[in-house]
Structure formats: C-alpha cells, structure tokens
C-alpha cells in the first residue's frame, strides 16, 4: 500500500487539477492519503483475513505463529516483508515476461509430441501449434 499511495495520490491530484483545484502542498496531501489508506486497508484486511487463519490453523498453531512474529527473527521478517514483496513482484514480472517469450515453442513441441488435441478440429489444433511456435 505504501508504494501505491503516491500513484493514487498523483491520479487524484490530476483529477482535482481537471476540476480547477490546485493543491499548495501535494506532499502533505500524499501523506494524509497514505495514512488514511493504510489505516483503512489494515483494518479491513484484518477483518477479512482473520477467518481464513482461524479456519486454517489450530489455536496452538496460531499461538506458535504469534510467538514467532514476536521473536527477534519474526520482527525482522515483518520489517523486511514489504521490500521482499515489492522486489518479488518486480522479479515475478520480469520472469513472467521472459517465460512468455520462450514457453510458446515448448508448449507447441509438447502438444505435438504427446499428440494432444485442444480443439475439436485437427486443422485448428495445428494452427494453434503453429501460432505457439
């Protein structure tokens, strides 16, 4: 959320400008927006995800998870999680793009080698294979 707030603030500022409203302190506007977004986001995420954890873990498991996050190692993980998530998203986007460029031929080869028909019309299936190459 922290990384998205400036983008959202910029969009809102542009919208306000289109309405003839110029902010004298856009930095403060972004700070307030970020604070409000984080507060509401955190509250709603906790409310909506708590049942997931209650269904997935026993009370003993939850106590162990809490103990971990209260430990020095757990606090270190919590502190690093936003950076890890952000960098992981960048890496995931890059890897996905790279895979998208190489998977087509691999999928085509597998479909052909295994004789897999993904369409009811064999000619259409061949067109699919050709397009993947």
């Amino acid at each position: 959320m922290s990384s998205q707030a400036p983008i959202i603030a910029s969009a809102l500022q542009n919208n306000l400008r289109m309405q003839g409203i110029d902010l004298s302190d856009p930095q403060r506007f972004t700070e307030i927006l970020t604070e409000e977004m984080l507060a509401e986001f955190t509250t709603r995420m906790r409310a909506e995800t708590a049942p997931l954890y209650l269904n997935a873990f026993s009370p003993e498991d939850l106590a162990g998870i809490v103990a971990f996050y209260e430990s020095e190692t757990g606090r270190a993980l919590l502190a690093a999680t936003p950076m890890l998530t952000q960098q992981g998203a960048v890496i995931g986007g890059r890897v996905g793009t790279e895979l998208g460029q190489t998977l087509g031929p691999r999928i085509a080869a597998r479909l052909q080698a295994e004789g897999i028909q993904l369409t009811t019309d064999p000619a259409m299936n061949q067109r699919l294979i050709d397009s993947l190459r």
Side-chain angles (χ1 to χ4, degrees), residues 105-118 125-126 129 133:
R106 289 173 45 194
I107 293 169
R110 184 171 172 189
L111 293 175
Q112 195 160 32
E114 296 179 23
I116 297 171
Q117 289 289 131
L118 295 178
N125 203 68
Q126 187 57 49
I129 291 170
R133 289 189 178 139

Side-chain angles (χ1 to χ4, degrees), residues 22-106:
D22 266 329
L23 299 176
S24 61
D25 193 348
Q27 180 63 33
R28 184 66 182 133
F29 176 77
T30 300
E31 290 169 5
I32 292 169
L33 175 71
T34 302
E35 290 170 9
E36 291 299 318
M37 278 179 46
L38 285 174
E40 181 67 18
F41 183 81
T42 301
T43 298
R44 292 185 63 182
M45 286 301 294
R46 284 182 179 157
E48 295 199 29
T49 59
L52 300 175
Y53 285 84
L54 292 171
N55 287 329
F57 300 104
S58 70
E60 295 80 20
D61 291 335
L62 290 170
I65 292 168
V66 169
F68 169 74
Y69 282 118
E70 289 176 344
S71 73
E72 188 175 323
T73 303
R75 286 190 301 272
L77 175 62
L78 284 173
T81 295
M83 176 271 301
L84 293 170
T85 301
Q86 184 177 26
Q87 290 182 359
V90 170
I91 292 167
R94 180 182 46 78
V95 169
T97 299
E98 291 169 2
L99 281 175
Q101 296 169 356
T102 63
L103 280 180
R106 289 173 45 194

